[in-house]
Amino acid sequence: MPEAGFFRVVGGRPGAETRLMARSERYTLTSESVTEGHPDKVCDLIADSVLDECLEQDRDSRVACEVLCKGNLVMMAGEITTRAEFDREALVRRVVEEIGYVDPAEPFAASTLNVAIHFTRQAPEIAQGVNRRKKEDQGAGDQGIMFGYATDETPELMPLPILLAHKLARQLAKDRKTEKVGWLRPDGKTQVSVNYVDGRPEKVTAVLVSTSHTPEVTKHQKKIAAYVHDELIPTVLKRWNHPGIEVLVNPTGSFEKGGPGVDAGVTGRKIIVDTYGGAAHHGGGAFSGKDPSKVDRSAAYFCRYVARQLVLHGLAKRAELQVAYAIGRAKPMSVKVDTFGTGDSRAAEEFVRKNFDFRPAEIIRKLKLRAPIFRESTNYGHFGRKGLPWEA
C-alpha cells in the first residue's frame, strides 16, 4: 500500500520513494496540562522554591533538589552547595499553603505535614567539571541532549493543543483562588485535541477536564459539567470554541479525593507538560529544582530561545534545535537545526552558528539565569509565557 497521503514512484534503488505530490495531510494532536495542585507539580514548586531561595542569597548556589510527597509526608533530598541559610521546612509549608492545601481534616495540609530533609553537598567530581578559573570555560553540569521548539501557529509561538490545555488549567486555578467557583479544589488535569490540516491547526475536536471538588457536589456532577461547558471552555478557547467539540468532564464520575493525600507526587514527572505537549522531541531531562549549571534546564531554555529567533526572523515557520553536551566540557558536542521543510535549513543553521553561543556560562549570562526566577516557570508550561527571559 502506498504511504498515506503520497504517491509512490516505482523503480530506482530498492526501497527508494519520491514524494511527487502531497495530498492534504490530516492528523490530530492531543496535549495535556495539570494544575498547580497536582501532586507532581506540588513537588516541582517546592523544588523550584528551594532553588530560588538559594539563588536569592547566593547567586553561585549549586542546587539539585528532588521532592516526593504522599499522604502527610514531604521528603526533600539531593545535593546543595550554597551559602544561603533559611528554614527549609517553613518554606515547604508556605508553598503548600499557597497552592491551597490548607484543610487540616485532609491528609495533605500545610499545617500538619511531616517534612523529611536529606541534602548533601554537590559531588566533587561534578564540581571540578563545572568549575573553571575562567567563567566562560564553565563545563556542562551533566551529559545529555536538549531540545527547543517554536511554531508560528500561535502568537506565543507554541503548539495550539498544549497552549490551550495550559490556559484551561490556569483558569481552573484562578476560578478557585478568586472563589468564583467555591467547590473547586487544587488538583486537576486538562487535555485538548486539535485537528491539523497540512501542518496548520484547523479546529479543536475534544476537551477533557478532570477537576477535584468538594464532597457536597459529588452527587451533582451536572453542575461541574455545566461550569466546564458554559464558563470554562468559552472563556479560554474563545475563537477556537464551537458546538462540535466533544467535552468530557470527570470521566470516572467524581473527583472528590485528590492531591498528594491520595496520589504520590515526584519532581520531574511532567516533562511533556512542561515543554511542548508532544509536538516536539524531548531529551528526557527534567527542569524543576536544578540550578542553571545543569544544562538539561538551561540549554533547553536556550534552545527554545534560539528556535523562537528563527521563527521571528522569518527563517522558518517551525523550528527545532537539538544540542548535546558532555559533562565538564563547555562547548557542545553537536547542535542540530530542523525547519521541517518550512524554511531554508542551511540558512537557519548558519544563522544559529553565527549568532548564538551554546557554552553554559554564555547561556547563563545571556538569559540572566542566576536570578531567582524559577518558581515563576514551574506551572502551566516553561514556555510560551510572558516575563520569562527565554521568551524575550
Side-chain angles (χ1 to χ4, degrees):
M1 292 292 289
E3 182 183 357
F6 294 91
F7 291 109
R8 175 175 294 177
V9 174
V10 180
R13 60 182 175 82
E17 297 173 8
T18 303
R19 292 179 174 181
L20 290 180
M21 183 173 66
R23 296 173 181 168
S24 179
E25 182 187 14
R26 292 178 175 269
Y27 61 89
T28 299
L29 177 63
T30 301
S31 299
E32 71 159 346
S33 181
V34 296
T35 63
E36 59 213 62
H38 185 281
D40 295 332
K41 278 295 155 192
V42 172
C43 295
D44 284 347
L45 188 58
I46 291 172
D48 276 337
S49 297
V50 169
L51 170 61
D52 275 3
E53 188 64 38
C54 290
L55 292 175
E56 182 74 47
Q57 300 183 41
D58 178 5
R59 292 168 62 87
D60 294 321
S61 296
R62 298 284 169 78
V63 179
C65 178
E66 305 290 348
V67 181
L68 178 146
C69 61
K70 170 62 179 175
N72 70 341
L73 174 67
V74 172
M75 178 176 291
M76 295 193 297
E79 300 78 45
I80 296 181
T81 302
T82 184
R83 294 186 295 271
E85 296 182 359
F86 58 96
D87 187 332
R88 292 167 180 170
E89 180 176 334
L91 180 145
V92 170
R93 296 186 190 280
R94 183 171 69 249
V95 171
V96 172
E97 182 176 358
E98 289 173 1
I99 293 171
Y101 288 109
V102 295
D103 185 355
E106 295 294 325
F108 190 79
S111 61
T112 59
L113 290 175
N114 289 318
V115 181
I117 301 172
H118 185 69
F119 290 110
T120 60
R121 293 176 62 83
Q122 184 180 61
E125 289 86 355
I126 297 176
Q128 72 182 8
V130 175
N131 298 335
R132 291 289 188 271
R133 288 185 179 181
K134 293 182 179 180
K135 285 191 174 182
E136 60 268 27
D137 293 331
Q138 174 181 322
D142 202 352
Q143 74 173 56
I145 56 174
M146 300 85 207
F147 290 88
Y149 180 78
T151 171
D152 71 351
E153 67 190 67
T154 64
E156 295 86 351
L157 305 187
M158 286 290 287
L160 183 63
I162 188 66
L163 190 70
L164 293 179
H166 284 323
K167 289 183 176 182
L168 286 166
R170 182 187 288 272
Q171 191 65 41
L172 281 173
K174 181 180 179 181
D175 288 348
R176 171 176 61 85
K177 291 182 175 181
T178 60
E179 299 183 350
K180 176 183 176 181
V181 183
W183 43 260
L184 283 170
R185 286 296 178 263
D187 195 1
K189 288 186 173 184
T190 61
Q191 188 169 285
V192 176
S193 301
V194 175
N195 190 54
Y196 282 73
V197 177
D198 296 332
R200 309 300 295 180
E202 180 191 43
K203 64 179 179 179
V204 175
T205 58
V207 171
L208 169 59
V209 176
S210 294
T211 179
S212 58
H213 53 78
T214 57
E216 59 265 24
V217 294
T218 298
K219 295 182 179 180
H220 303 281
Q221 292 296 312
K222 289 183 178 180
K223 183 176 182 179
I224 301 174
Y227 157 71
V228 172
H229 278 271
D230 302 337
E231 298 183 48
L232 181 66
I233 289 178
T235 298
V236 172
L237 265 59
K238 294 183 170 61
R239 73 182 184 90
W240 293 102
N241 187 32
H242 63 90
I245 296 176
E246 179 184 12
V247 179
L248 298 176
V249 182
N250 287 0
T252 63
S254 68
F255 194 172
E256 182 180 327
K257 301 295 183 181
V262 295
D263 190 11
V266 181
T267 44
R269 273 208 302 210
K270 288 294 175 283
I271 58 176
I272 302 303
V273 170
D274 287 343
T275 53
Y276 308 102
H281 290 96
H282 197 295
F287 299 153
S288 291
K290 298 177 182 177
D291 76 82
S293 72
K294 280 73 173 174
V295 285
D296 43 6
R297 184 170 207 166
S298 55
Y301 289 173
F302 194 61
C303 284
R304 162 66 177 173
Y305 175 80
V306 176
R308 278 176 47 85
Q309 304 314 308
L310 289 172
V311 174
L312 290 170
H313 282 80
L315 292 165
K317 293 182 179 297
R318 293 170 57 209
E320 182 183 79
L321 274 85
Q322 183 207 61
V323 63
Y325 289 92
I327 188 168
R329 293 186 59 174
K331 292 185 178 180
M333 304 295 288
S334 64
V335 178
K336 174 178 174 288
V337 181
D338 191 346
T339 60
F340 304 97
T342 68
D344 187 331
S345 291
R346 290 185 178 179
E349 288 175 357
E350 185 68 8
F351 176 78
V352 172
R353 186 184 67 81
K354 286 184 175 181
N355 292 285
F356 302 101
D357 189 337
F358 284 80
R359 291 178 297 171
E362 284 302 303
I363 291 174
I364 293 169
R365 182 195 63 80
K366 177 75 173 178
L367 299 183
K368 299 178 174 63
L369 296 181
R370 286 295 175 194
I373 59 172
F374 294 100
R375 61 172 282 138
E376 300 303 318
S377 70
T378 309
N379 290 300
Y380 312 113
H382 289 245
F383 307 123
R385 293 163 45 206
K386 295 180 180 179
L388 299 173
W390 48 93
E391 296 295 315

